[in-house]
Amino acid sequence: MLNLIIFGPPGAGKGTQAALIAKAYKLAHLSSGDILRQELKNGELGTQIKKYQDSGKLVPDNLIIAMVERAAQKKIKSPGFIFDGYPRNLRQAKSLNKFLATQNTAITVVLNLKLSEREASKRIILRGKTSGRSDDNHQTIKNRFQVYRLQTAPILDYYKQQKKVINIDGRPDIDLIFKNIDKLLTKLK
Ligand code: AMP
């Protein structure tokens, strides 16, 4: 299996690139943010999730870990996964490792999309005009970056120790970023 994590700050373009990569490599695209947004219609649980998302905080690990693993289990026959927005902290990263090990597989590489907070927040504000996402506003964006810095960015070290991190320049346009990723992944095969 080819199992990828697309990593980077909010607004770096993870979702866009993940969709392109999933299509080109026939991978199952698992976006934890999308999985959660689908659950919003789900009564009491939906209300809880919305509170976390609207404040920019991470939803509790037990919830998101179970949801992502259930979604992955459903797609276990695919040629691989691309995890988007997941894992977001060390506990999730370790759970994911364990889950993949039970399936006799592992993370192949982490694609680290690099973009400054300044550029990324500009993109989110722009996206907010059309995304309809209630968390694409100034205050929530500030919180999401803080959560990224404190909880998510540190897990890069965990993957660096395993020599799995590939840095990708997140500044060019969508097509060029994808071309760069595609070149790197072709070499891996
Ligand atoms: P995203 O669509 O990836 O930007 O995620 C939007 C929001 O969903 C985040 O700000 C969190 O509140 C929640 N979320 C998404 N993925 C995770 C995750 N892996 N762990 C906890 N919360 C998450």
Side-chain angles (χ1 to χ4, degrees), residues 66-144:
M67 283 179 183
V68 171
E69 290 186 2
R70 201 183 318 130
Q73 193 75 59
K74 279 191 195 155
K75 299 277 170 75
I76 202 71
K77 295 247 161 67
S78 61
F81 295 112
I82 177 151
F83 296 95
D84 162 14
Y86 188 87
R88 285 275 231 283
N89 61 28
L90 196 57
R91 192 153 159 234
Q92 294 178 14
K94 289 187 171 167
S95 288
L96 181 60
N97 244 11
K98 272 196 201 145
F99 169 78
L100 292 173
T102 64
Q103 310 296 324
N104 295 314
T105 186
I107 290 298
T108 316
V109 285
V110 177
L111 301 168
N112 180 29
L113 260 184
K114 295 190 73 157
L115 194 68
S116 70
E117 277 191 24
R118 219 183 133 82
E119 279 307 311
S121 53
K122 268 198 228 160
R123 288 190 190 171
I124 302 178
I125 296 290
L126 205 68
R127 176 176 78 185
K129 295 191 174 137
T130 54
S131 70
R133 276 179 56 167
S134 50
D135 60 346
D136 284 348
N137 64 70
H138 277 288
Q139 186 53 50
T140 308
I141 293 167
K142 255 179 92 178
N143 296 344
R144 285 158 69 197

Side-chain angles (χ1 to χ4, degrees), residues 32-33 36-37 52-53 56-59 64 85-86 88 92 133 135 144:
S32 50
L36 288 166
R37 279 184 288 277
Y52 289 105
Q53 285 194 325
K57 285 189 194 146
L58 296 184
V59 307
I64 188 67
Y86 188 87
R88 285 275 231 283
Q92 294 178 14
R133 276 179 56 167
D135 60 346
R144 285 158 69 197

Side-chain angles (χ1 to χ4, degrees), residues 154-180:
I155 66 175
L156 261 188
D157 284 333
Y158 172 75
Y159 290 112
K160 275 184 192 157
Q161 281 163 11
Q162 302 170 34
K163 306 213 180 330
K164 289 192 173 169
V165 179
I166 298 180
N167 290 321
I168 311 282
D169 186 351
R171 290 171 303 177
D173 63 38
I174 292 171
D175 291 346
L176 185 53
I177 297 177
F178 177 67
K179 269 188 199 142
N180 291 338

